[in-house]
Amino acid sequence: MYLLISTLLTFIQIYSFLLIARVLLTWFPQIEWYNQPFAALSQITDPYLNLFRNIIPPLGGIDLSPILAFLALNLASGLLGSLAGPLASF
């Protein structure tokens, strides 16, 4: 069970880095999202971000959905971390 939680925590950490890269790259309007490697990054991160874009649509051209996305990942990471703590002692 500890291995599963540890793997999920690692996945969340990697996915968070991918989201950070995606958000930072949106600051560069000249990026063509249909070319690689940007298309792959977009395909990996956009479905997750779209969940939050349905909750908070872009306001005045500013997309606030990554904030909720990061909060959800941090919440999941914290919950998994609190589960992993007691399991690590076994």
Side-chain angles (χ1 to χ4, degrees):
M1 184 70 158
Y2 178 74
L3 179 62
L4 175 66
I5 292 174
S6 175
T7 303
L8 287 173
L9 285 170
T10 302
F11 172 78
I12 289 172
Q13 190 174 32
I14 292 169
Y15 199 76
S16 294
F17 287 129
L18 291 174
L19 281 175
I20 289 170
R22 172 73 165 108
V23 169
L24 290 177
L25 287 172
T26 61
W27 293 353
F28 301 98
Q30 69 272 18
I31 290 179
E32 296 180 20
W33 289 101
Y34 298 107
N35 294 334
Q36 293 298 337
F38 306 115
L41 182 62
S42 178
Q43 289 174 346
I44 292 169
T45 57
D46 279 356
Y48 180 67
L49 289 173
N50 287 339
L51 294 172
F52 299 99
R53 287 181 182 134
N54 291 333
I55 297 171
I56 298 179
L59 303 170
I62 298 174
D63 187 11
L64 299 176
S65 61
I67 295 171
L68 280 180
F70 284 115
L71 286 174
L73 282 178
N74 284 337
L75 178 66
S77 179
L79 291 173
L80 287 171
S82 67
L83 286 175
L87 291 176
S89 62
F90 286 112

